[in-house]
Amino acid sequence: MREEKDRRVTCQDLDITGGFWKEKQELFRRVTVDAVYDRFEETGRFEALNCSWKEGMPNKPHIFWDSDVVKWIEGAAYFLLKQKDEKLEAKVDDLVGRMEKQQWEDGYLNSYFTAVEPEERFQRRTDHELYCAGHLIEAAVAYAQATGKKKLLEIAEKYTALIDRVFRQEHSAAFDTPGHEEIELALYRLYEYTGKESYRELAEYFVDTRGTSDRDGTYEFTDQEHMQSHLPVRQQKTAEGHSVRALYLYSAMADQARIDQDEEMAQVCRTLFENITRKRMYITGGVGSTHRGESFTFDYDLPEYTAYNETCASIALAMFCRRMWLLEADGRYADCAERAIYNTVLSGVSLSGDSFFYENPVAADPARNAFNASRAKGLQEHLPILSRVKVFDCSCCPPNLLRFVGSIADYMYSVSGNTIYAHCYMDAEGEMETSAGRMKLKQETGYPYDGNVRIITETEGTCAVALRIPAWSERWKVSVNGERVEAQPRKGYVFIEREWKCGDCLELELDMGIRFWESNPRVIDTCGRVAVTRGPLVFCAEGIDNEEIPLRDVRIDPKQEGVVREKRLEGTVLPELELDAAVREETDELYLTPKKKRKTVKLHLIPYFAWANRSVTPMTVWLLEEIRPENK
Amino acid sequence: MREEKDRRVTCQDLDITGGFWKEKQELFRRVTVDAVYDRFEETGRFEALNCSWKEGMPNKPHIFWDSDVVKWIEGAAYFLLKQKDEKLEAKVDDLVGRMEKQQWEDGYLNSYFTAVEPEERFQRRTDHELYCAGHLIEAAVAYAQATGKKKLLEIAEKYTALIDRVFRQEHSAAFDTPGHEEIELALYRLYEYTGKESYRELAEYFVDTRGTSDRDGTYEFTDQEHMQSHLPVRQQKTAEGHSVRALYLYSAMADQARIDQDEEMAQVCRTLFENITRKRMYITGGVGSTHRGESFTFDYDLPEYTAYNETCASIALAMFCRRMWLLEADGRYADCAERAIYNTVLSGVSLSGDSFFYENPVAADPARNAFNASRAKGLQEHLPILSRVKVFDCSCCPPNLLRFVGSIADYMYSVSGNTIYAHCYMDAEGEMETSAGRMKLKQETGYPYDGNVRIITETEGTCAVALRIPAWSERWKVSVNGERVEAQPRKGYVFIEREWKCGDCLELELDMGIRFWESNPRVIDTCGRVAVTRGPLVFCAEGIDNEEIPLRDVRIDPKQEGVVREKRLEGTVLPELELDAAVREETDELYLTPKKKRKTVKLHLIPYFAWANRSVTPMTVWLLEEIRPENK
């Protein structure tokens, strides 16, 4: 049974061969891998691994620096997996060597505590030790898979053994579960890679102990919700607290539900997924509405200008979704993952690949930011920055993007029995094991800019291919070798089962018409407004493309088809939408009698992920809706 | 010349005889005078006058407590002016007696510095000494006018002499101009009451020195804009910083422009008035968009839920407007004063007269407040409270309301030459001096709920009455003794000049139709929305009157007349508007395809000032505008 459900197809099995993700991965290989490395080098994150810092020296190690280092290693591993690069591998090996030296006799490994407060190890729940350990485990698995080198894996397993002893057997740490989740999903990953039961048991222990321990404190400034410890996880029904922590936890819970066939846990995951996607998620797949605690807030609270929408949170949302579709087939999981990936995740990195957003608001008002910056520090408010930067003090997002883009093919397929599920469409080729034998598939598509997807079988076999029909696609067509196939989707997938010959071509045509979306009437911030999408991409209007148009006041009638053009931006070609729109007349009055008179203008939109790549300029995703009488 | 322009008509000259303001004043006389007194007594503000506090005792005096005390005295004075009340007068005299005892030999008077830091007197610009002194002066004048008792005035003049010496002659204080303006306008008031030139000179000195002194510091957390000291006042073109400070300063500047016939200063005042009313003022006459520094922000920045709109700031705006119409006839000043008075100022007090708002937002979301309150302190944001309270730590607004309502007749008339200007309409009777002799007028009106105003002459004389035509009145009619008079307004006033007989009746009929207003397209918060007014009142929708209607999503078509009903609320009768409105269908989806289908509902609105008098419930002033095809 379990084996039936659980044939993941990963970036190990698939090569990205072209299109959108090939371009992105090549940019990352060429620019981002080094850009993140160089910033980390400059800021002392690698130096910290030597554990030679002493009071009074610059670059005091920080409690989460280790996670930055190993996330960079994990990212590098995915690029090494596909292309030998001795220089890059040497950099990783150097870092691994430093970690090996640093590791304590008993397995402990943490550059901050080792150098700064060795007596405080495993004493403070809020200080990210197990979070760093989780990322170490993930990096170790990825690097072993990429290069066959096992040293980092040995380091990680040695440390894991210590953690198991201290936390699960002896309970000798000062707390019971980590303040920042991550190790749970990493332990499931290590379990699935090594098959060792103790890792599964430790993961389960951490997941099920959460919210039950009196010894589990929190920061002084916050509450137990912040760390999802307000209730035992099986009793949680709404997404609460720090959004990245929450989604890393839910990812582990989904792993647990699948691996243990734990239906109760599966139901908790479904409930949390529903709460997020029906009440607490931006249309861009951003989550965590507020910078205060980087957290989820309350149902339907989705303010635009102050949306926190951390890049890492949307990565984590995609991770949770993938684990949900490994648990059970439902197109909504991949719909949600795509929403996050193509919008907020990609907004996190510049088109040039070397600058990053931590926060991804859905509207930008440079006038407010400028005023805020002009004020005395004591009067400033927290606002999202409007221009990407090379590195952050808390620089979790850049290496997270690196590992995410490097392993994007993880999001393509899964196998259940003799069915191959195609979740997210991209150009890639690879083999996968089904209950009816191995199948090799090659996928070609212009996705996300074009809705045609061709899957060519490169082996023979009798199996089903389940094609996901994204919820945004009103019409769609499936054909095999040019012949239309009639099929009804079940839970978001159409199933094409046949005896495939080598060279058969399964084709899906999705509806790439421009679509308009309202938000639920309870979302008080966007009532009266519509968002514009095409395919999986949310679009936005930027001031730089729409000079003299007041973006918050421009009105669009959703009864229009719009025009799609190509736009060249920072070395890539993007779709640009042109819509008929209307604006009110300019006036000097502050309050005035409503007039129906409108000036007709053309409004230009670009994909949301490409915003803020040229200058600091106003931006909005949500546009006023106004149905003009002549279109009635 | 000056005498021509400057015949103010004040609450000294006028008795409120009925209608809206009689009801309000009686409520204040019955409830508010004592309610404010009792809270101040409980919190130790009067005890502090004894200057017997020692370290370790409770109720440590606060730097601005003196201002609370004397503002209460000033308020009490206006009620004593119209009706003898021995008990109340005894309370005031007791407080005056304590101040007399406390006053230093050299005239210094400040209960905080005297009791807590005597060596620090006149050393810290930010610590409100001259602000307290200004309010003392105002209270002293009002109490002398009300009762003929001069003791408080002597105390105030003695202190003023010290201030003049220390600041204008010796420059022996550690700073040159007050951190919180107020003394400037108070000195002009004292000058106009006593005729002593030194007070005028000291006022001028403080006004013109502002923004020129290196010795004038500010708080560590803020900037010179906070105290309007970023530029010499004559160079200031935009309203900046703490909104109450700003408007008390501008009030003094308008006094100076009038008293000194200083055209340069008049122009500065006009420029600031324009900046406020065309770019930085809520439709409710609220100003100061943010709690951060309680300050003005930048042009067109008028967020709804977080609007700070301090009650005192709107009182100060009305004060500035009145001083501007004393300077020159332009109906926009009274339009603005009325906007502030009938909306944000009155919103500052409950219909029961004993509870107060400091902040007056234009929308309320109890869900956000509840979520915020549920969070750990370190994660909470500043939000306006949604239910009025009896007293604040910084309790400037309640006594400010007391003195404002007590002296509301100040806002009725002014005289210039032989023209009597009628600015704000209310039921009152009184005499005023014109260049053509004394005129006694009795005004009767149902204002602000009814637009008919009758002014009956109770003396004979040849003079002009200039009736203000509010900008919101699209149509209007003037008649004398029932005969229609044709007249074109000039700068917002129609002039009716004739030989008045005793008992002549000048009648004005204003248009009390329901009106709808859009904001300027640059106000990004309210694009696509309309506000509803009737007469000078802005209306709002509260959840309690509109159950199951999502207030942010309900749509109204401004092409409708609406229905006006009477509503009984907390012992008074208010107009309630009923509008045809439409709502979208309820849905569980977060994002959905726009549908035209609407459910028709009746939306009920009450005057904005009456919001939050029943329960904590959603509220909004700005409603979505949607022109329905059938109304095209």
Side-chain angles (χ1 to χ4, degrees):
Chain A
M1 259 295 269
R2 202 188 101 211
E3 287 67 25
E4 290 290 301
K5 277 196 174 176
D6 179 22
R7 290 223 178 80
R8 287 165 305 144
V9 183
T10 72
C11 59
Q12 303 282 313
D13 309 304
L14 298 163
D15 295 319
I16 299 289
T17 50
F20 183 87
W21 288 105
K22 182 75 175 174
E23 184 181 311
K24 198 60 84 184
Q25 285 194 336
E26 286 191 346
L27 173 75
F28 268 56
R29 184 186 296 281
R30 204 173 63 243
V31 176
T32 317
V33 173
D34 288 342
V36 175
Y37 182 91
D38 293 345
R39 298 298 85 67
F40 283 1
E41 177 83 311
E42 284 164 17
T43 53
R45 281 163 164 86
F46 299 138
E47 173 64 25
L49 293 182
N50 301 332
C51 297
S52 54
W53 183 87
K54 297 274 175 293
E55 201 65 60
M57 289 166 69
N59 290 335
K60 181 174 178 178
H62 192 281
I63 52 164
F64 47 63
W65 275 6
D66 279 0
S67 69
D68 290 341
V69 172
V70 292
K71 262 153 74 186
W72 179 83
I73 292 177
E74 185 188 346
Y78 299 125
F79 289 91
L80 288 169
L81 174 68
K82 298 299 170 185
Q83 192 175 305
K84 188 84 184 161
D85 180 337
E86 285 179 12
K87 241 173 92 183
L88 180 60
E89 207 168 313
K91 281 178 176 171
V92 176
D93 290 338
D94 168 55
L95 299 173
V96 171
R98 299 192 210 189
M99 285 190 262
E100 190 185 24
K101 271 197 207 143
Q102 180 209 130
Q103 189 163 33
W104 295 28
E105 196 71 10
D106 66 0
Y108 187 74
L109 182 71
N110 184 297
S111 64
Y112 172 81
F113 282 98
T114 302
V116 184
E117 300 186 84
E119 72 289 352
E120 286 294 306
R121 70 174 217 179
F122 295 145
Q123 295 305 300
R124 296 203 297 262
R125 184 183 187 223
T126 53
D127 282 4
H128 291 63
E129 281 162 296
L130 299 182
Y131 167 80
C132 292
H135 279 303
L136 170 69
I137 292 167
E138 289 209 84
V141 172
Y143 195 61
Q145 289 178 317
T147 62
K149 292 180 178 172
K150 298 286 171 103
K151 193 189 282 181
L152 190 61
L153 190 67
E154 286 160 19
I155 292 169
E157 291 202 66
K158 187 172 172 188
Y159 190 17
T160 305
L162 173 70
I163 292 167
D164 190 67
R165 177 164 63 77
V166 167
F167 285 87
R168 191 162 63 103
Q169 297 170 38
E170 296 176 351
H171 305 281
S172 58
F175 56 95
D176 289 311
T177 69
H180 195 315
E181 299 92 325
E182 156 64 24
I183 197 169
E184 303 85 348
L185 72 87
L187 286 166
Y188 280 118
R189 186 170 179 177
L190 187 61
Y191 162 66
E192 300 208 272
Y193 181 66
T194 63
K196 293 181 190 164
E197 282 294 325
S198 67
Y199 300 146
R200 189 184 62 72
E201 288 163 14
L202 182 57
E204 266 185 41
Y205 171 79
F206 280 137
V207 169
D208 276 319
T209 305
R210 180 165 297 273
T212 68
S213 163
D214 289 344
R215 304 200 308 154
D216 280 350
T218 183
Y219 299 107
E220 213 168 301
F221 69 91
T222 184
D223 45 33
Q224 289 289 356
E225 279 81 356
H226 188 72
M227 302 179 179
Q228 298 73 47
S229 307
H230 53 298
L231 284 173
V233 298
R234 288 170 196 269
Q235 293 173 30
Q236 297 189 21
K237 292 184 165 48
T238 53
E240 301 295 344
H242 190 275
S243 56
V244 176
R245 295 176 204 231
L247 285 156
Y248 283 178
L249 170 66
Y250 308 158
S251 294
M253 287 159 62
D255 281 336
Q256 185 170 325
R258 173 176 54 84
I259 291 168
D260 291 354
Q261 299 181 50
D262 181 337
E263 175 53 27
E264 183 189 59
M265 189 64 92
Q267 191 49 48
V268 175
C269 292
R270 283 179 210 117
T271 301
L272 291 166
F273 178 83
E274 289 290 302
N275 178 249
I276 293 167
T277 55
R278 290 189 187 269
K279 294 179 178 167
R280 300 186 178 199
M281 178 184 70
Y282 285 84
I283 195 164
T284 54
V287 287
S289 298
T290 181
H291 73 94
R292 293 182 180 80
E294 311 187 306
S295 72
F296 286 103
T297 56
F298 54 101
D299 289 348
Y300 303 112
D301 177 45
L302 299 164
E304 299 168 80
Y305 289 92
T306 57
Y308 197 67
N309 287 355
E310 184 181 339
T311 306
C312 286
S314 285
I315 289 174
L317 178 58
M319 288 164 57
F320 176 43
C321 289
R322 174 169 172 251
R323 283 161 172 84
M324 288 306 288
W325 79 56
L326 292 175
L327 178 65
E328 61 192 16
D330 188 329
R332 292 183 309 148
Y333 301 132
D335 283 349
C336 174
E338 270 199 350
R339 197 188 277 282
I341 294 168
Y342 283 107
N343 299 293
T344 299
V345 173
L346 287 179
S347 162
V349 57
S350 65
L351 295 177
S352 60
D354 62 351
S355 304
F356 306 93
F357 272 146
Y358 194 106
E359 296 172 53
N360 298 279
V362 295
D365 179 15
R368 172 171 296 277
N369 282 61
F371 170 73
N372 197 49
S374 78
R375 306 200 87 184
K377 280 271 178 286
L379 295 179
Q380 289 182 9
E381 62 184 316
H382 175 93
L383 289 177
I385 58 171
L386 301 183
S387 189
R388 295 179 184 81
V389 296
K390 306 252 179 207
V391 68
F392 306 95
D393 288 341
C394 172
S395 212
C396 48
C397 301
N400 223 352
L401 277 159
L402 188 69
R403 66 183 191 132
F404 187 78
V405 170
S407 61
I408 189 66
D410 281 355
Y411 290 83
M412 280 192 80
Y413 294 110
S414 66
V415 174
S416 180
N418 78 336
T419 302
I420 298 170
Y421 285 90
H423 304 290
C424 296
Y425 299 113
M426 47 193 107
D427 285 76
E429 195 173 8
E431 274 191 30
M432 53 211 82
E433 186 73 32
T434 78
S435 63
R438 286 189 80 72
M439 286 293 291
K440 186 172 183 193
L441 301 179
K442 180 174 173 58
Q443 189 175 132
E444 296 171 345
T445 180
Y447 210 85
Y449 302 149
D450 176 289
N452 287 0
V453 179
R454 289 153 45 89
I455 297 177
I456 297 132
T457 50
E458 299 189 328
T459 47
E460 294 184 352
T462 301
C463 68
V465 177
L467 296 171
R468 177 176 143 259
I469 308 298
W472 47 260
S473 184
E474 289 193 326
R475 291 173 302 280
W476 47 271
K477 211 170 85 181
V478 175
S479 55
V480 175
N481 298 331
E483 270 182 45
R484 178 84 180 256
V485 177
E486 294 299 331
Q488 282 305 310
R490 294 199 313 268
K491 288 201 165 186
Y493 292 86
V494 289
F495 294 78
I496 317 296
E497 182 160 8
R498 52 179 281 151
E499 209 184 302
W500 300 96
K501 303 259 176 295
C502 203
D504 277 349
C505 176
L506 171 61
E507 198 159 2
L508 172 65
E509 284 172 57
L510 296 170
D511 172 11
M512 295 299 278
I514 295 170
R515 293 202 58 187
F516 300 88
W517 303 88
E518 292 178 345
S519 50
N520 189 294
R522 291 162 193 269
V523 181
I524 63 174
D525 291 283
T526 44
C527 291
R529 294 186 175 270
V530 290
V532 185
T533 64
R534 179 173 177 270
L537 302 178
V538 175
F539 281 71
C540 69
E542 282 200 302
I544 193 172
D545 296 320
N546 298 284
E547 276 177 30
E548 290 171 39
I549 297 178
L551 293 185
R552 295 300 286 179
D553 199 58
V554 68
R555 292 126 201 268
I556 56 172
D557 187 337
K559 291 270 168 247
Q560 63 176 302
E561 299 213 333
V563 177
V564 185
R565 295 228 171 77
E566 288 194 340
K567 189 179 185 83
R568 189 163 283 279
L569 212 69
E570 289 279 326
T572 189
V573 178
L574 300 170
E576 178 187 62
L577 309 187
E578 183 179 279
L579 298 178
D580 291 326
V583 292
R584 288 189 282 160
E585 290 181 314
E586 276 187 52
T587 173
D588 286 339
E589 296 298 320
L590 187 50
Y591 302 110
L592 53 152
T593 302
K595 291 191 193 75
K596 281 204 216 156
K597 195 171 170 194
R598 300 282 184 264
K599 199 171 82 182
T600 304
V601 294
K602 296 290 183 189
L603 186 72
H604 295 95
L605 309 180
I606 61 167
Y608 170 75
F609 74 74
W611 82 281
N613 270 284
R614 290 164 291 175
S615 65
V616 173
T617 179
M619 182 276 288
T620 189
V621 165
W622 290 94
L623 297 156
L624 275 183
E625 178 186 4
E626 188 169 75
I627 297 165
R628 298 301 294 166
E630 60 272 24
N631 293 350
K632 170 172 72 125
Chain B
M1 261 291 271
R2 204 190 99 211
E3 288 67 23
E4 291 288 303
K5 278 197 173 173
D6 179 24
R7 290 226 177 79
R8 288 165 303 142
V9 182
T10 73
C11 61
Q12 303 283 313
D13 310 303
L14 298 163
D15 295 320
I16 299 288
T17 51
F20 182 88
W21 287 105
K22 184 75 176 172
E23 185 182 311
K24 199 60 82 180
Q25 285 193 338
E26 288 191 344
L27 173 74
F28 268 55
R29 183 187 297 283
R30 202 174 64 242
V31 176
T32 318
V33 173
D34 289 341
V36 175
Y37 182 90
D38 292 346
R39 297 297 86 67
F40 284 0
E41 178 83 311
E42 283 164 17
T43 52
R45 281 163 163 86
F46 299 137
E47 172 65 24
L49 293 181
N50 301 334
C51 296
S52 54
W53 182 88
K54 296 275 176 290
E55 200 63 63
M57 288 166 70
N59 290 336
K60 180 174 177 177
H62 193 282
I63 52 164
F64 47 63
W65 274 5
D66 280 0
S67 69
D68 290 342
V69 171
V70 292
K71 262 153 75 185
W72 178 83
I73 292 178
E74 185 187 346
Y78 300 125
F79 289 91
L80 289 169
L81 173 70
K82 299 298 170 186
Q83 193 174 303
K84 189 84 182 160
D85 180 336
E86 286 178 12
K87 238 173 96 182
L88 180 59
E89 209 168 311
K91 280 180 178 171
V92 176
D93 290 338
D94 168 55
L95 299 174
V96 172
R98 299 192 209 188
M99 284 190 262
E100 190 185 23
K101 271 198 208 146
Q102 178 209 132
Q103 190 164 35
W104 294 29
E105 196 69 13
D106 65 1
Y108 186 76
L109 183 72
N110 184 298
S111 64
Y112 171 81
F113 281 98
T114 301
V116 183
E117 300 186 85
E119 71 291 349
E120 285 296 306
R121 70 174 218 179
F122 296 144
Q123 296 304 299
R124 295 203 297 261
R125 185 183 186 222
T126 53
D127 282 4
H128 291 63
E129 280 163 297
L130 299 182
Y131 166 82
C132 291
H135 279 303
L136 169 69
I137 292 168
E138 289 210 85
V141 172
Y143 195 60
Q145 288 177 319
T147 62
K149 292 181 179 171
K150 299 286 171 114
K151 193 189 282 181
L152 190 59
L153 189 66
E154 285 159 18
I155 291 169
E157 289 201 67
K158 187 172 172 189
Y159 190 16
T160 305
L162 173 70
I163 292 167
D164 190 67
R165 178 163 65 74
V166 167
F167 283 88
R168 190 161 64 101
Q169 297 170 38
E170 296 176 353
H171 305 281
S172 57
F175 55 94
D176 290 310
T177 69
H180 195 314
E181 299 93 325
E182 155 65 23
I183 196 169
E184 303 86 348
L185 73 87
L187 287 166
Y188 280 117
R189 185 169 179 177
L190 187 61
Y191 163 67
E192 299 206 275
Y193 181 66
T194 63
K196 294 182 190 165
E197 282 294 325
S198 66
Y199 299 146
R200 189 185 60 71
E201 287 164 13
L202 182 58
E204 266 184 42
Y205 171 78
F206 279 137
V207 169
D208 277 319
T209 304
R210 180 165 297 273
T212 69
S213 163
D214 290 343
R215 304 199 309 155
D216 280 351
T218 183
Y219 299 107
E220 215 169 300
F221 70 91
T222 184
D223 46 32
Q224 289 289 356
E225 279 82 356
H226 188 72
M227 301 178 178
Q228 299 71 48
S229 307
H230 53 300
L231 284 173
V233 297
R234 288 170 195 269
Q235 294 174 32
Q236 296 189 20
K237 291 183 165 49
T238 53
E240 301 295 344
H242 189 277
S243 56
V244 177
R245 298 177 202 229
L247 284 156
Y248 283 177
L249 170 65
Y250 308 158
S251 294
M253 287 160 62
D255 281 337
Q256 185 170 323
R258 171 174 57 83
I259 292 168
D260 291 355
Q261 298 181 52
D262 181 337
E263 175 53 26
E264 183 189 61
M265 189 64 93
Q267 191 49 47
V268 175
C269 292
R270 284 179 208 116
T271 300
L272 291 167
F273 178 83
E274 290 289 303
N275 178 248
I276 293 167
T277 55
R278 290 189 187 270
K279 294 179 177 167
R280 300 187 177 196
M281 178 184 71
Y282 285 84
I283 196 164
T284 53
V287 286
S289 299
T290 180
H291 74 94
R292 293 182 181 81
E294 311 187 305
S295 71
F296 286 103
T297 56
F298 54 100
D299 289 349
Y300 303 113
D301 177 45
L302 299 164
E304 299 168 80
Y305 289 92
T306 57
Y308 196 67
N309 287 355
E310 184 183 339
T311 306
C312 286
S314 286
I315 290 174
L317 179 59
M319 290 164 56
F320 176 43
C321 290
R322 174 170 172 252
R323 283 160 172 84
M324 288 305 289
W325 79 56
L326 294 175
L327 178 65
E328 60 193 16
D330 188 328
R332 290 183 309 148
Y333 300 131
D335 283 347
C336 174
E338 271 199 351
R339 196 189 278 284
I341 294 168
Y342 283 108
N343 300 292
T344 299
V345 173
L346 288 180
S347 163
V349 58
S350 66
L351 295 176
S352 59
D354 63 351
S355 305
F356 306 93
F357 272 146
Y358 194 106
E359 296 170 55
N360 298 279
V362 295
D365 179 15
R368 173 172 296 278
N369 282 60
F371 170 73
N372 197 49
S374 78
R375 304 199 90 185
K377 280 270 178 285
L379 295 180
Q380 289 183 8
E381 64 184 315
H382 175 93
L383 289 177
I385 58 172
L386 301 183
S387 189
R388 294 179 185 80
V389 297
K390 306 252 180 210
V391 69
F392 305 95
D393 288 340
C394 171
S395 210
C396 48
C397 300
N400 223 352
L401 277 159
L402 187 68
R403 68 183 190 131
F404 187 80
V405 170
S407 61
I408 189 67
D410 281 354
Y411 290 82
M412 280 193 81
Y413 295 110
S414 67
V415 174
S416 180
N418 78 335
T419 303
I420 298 170
Y421 285 90
H423 304 290
C424 295
Y425 299 113
M426 47 192 107
D427 284 77
E429 194 172 10
E431 274 189 29
M432 54 212 82
E433 186 73 32
T434 78
S435 63
R438 286 190 79 73
M439 285 293 291
K440 186 172 184 193
L441 301 181
K442 181 173 171 60
Q443 189 175 131
E444 296 172 347
T445 179
Y447 209 85
Y449 301 149
D450 177 289
N452 286 0
V453 179
R454 289 152 46 89
I455 297 177
I456 297 130
T457 51
E458 299 189 327
T459 46
E460 292 183 352
T462 302
C463 67
V465 177
L467 296 171
R468 174 172 145 261
I469 309 298
W472 48 259
S473 184
E474 287 194 328
R475 292 172 303 279
W476 46 271
K477 212 170 83 181
V478 175
S479 55
V480 175
N481 299 331
E483 272 183 45
R484 178 85 179 253
V485 178
E486 294 300 332
Q488 282 306 308
R490 294 199 311 269
K491 287 200 166 187
Y493 293 86
V494 289
F495 294 79
I496 318 295
E497 181 160 12
R498 53 179 279 149
E499 209 184 301
W500 300 97
K501 306 255 174 298
C502 203
D504 276 349
C505 176
L506 170 61
E507 198 158 2
L508 171 65
E509 286 175 54
L510 295 171
D511 172 10
M512 296 298 277
I514 295 169
R515 292 203 58 188
F516 300 88
W517 303 87
E518 291 178 345
S519 51
N520 188 293
R522 291 163 194 268
V523 181
I524 62 173
D525 291 284
T526 44
C527 291
R529 295 187 174 271
V530 290
V532 185
T533 64
R534 180 173 177 270
L537 301 179
V538 175
F539 282 71
C540 69
E542 282 199 304
I544 193 172
D545 296 319
N546 298 284
E547 274 176 34
E548 290 172 39
I549 296 178
L551 293 185
R552 295 299 287 179
D553 200 58
V554 68
R555 291 125 201 268
I556 56 172
D557 187 336
K559 291 272 167 242
Q560 63 176 304
E561 299 212 333
V563 177
V564 186
R565 297 229 169 76
E566 288 193 341
K567 188 178 186 85
R568 188 163 283 280
L569 211 69
E570 288 281 326
T572 190
V573 178
L574 301 170
E576 178 185 61
L577 309 187
E578 183 179 280
L579 298 178
D580 291 326
V583 292
R584 288 189 282 159
E585 289 182 311
E586 277 186 53
T587 173
D588 286 338
E589 295 298 320
L590 187 50
Y591 302 110
L592 53 151
T593 301
K595 292 193 193 74
K596 282 204 217 156
K597 194 169 172 194
R598 300 283 183 262
K599 200 172 80 181
T600 305
V601 295
K602 296 289 182 189
L603 186 72
H604 294 95
L605 309 180
I606 60 167
Y608 170 76
F609 74 73
W611 82 281
N613 271 283
R614 291 164 290 175
S615 65
V616 173
T617 179
M619 182 275 288
T620 188
V621 165
W622 290 95
L623 297 156
L624 274 184
E625 177 186 6
E626 187 169 75
I627 296 164
R628 298 301 296 163
E630 60 273 22
N631 293 349
K632 176 171 69 125

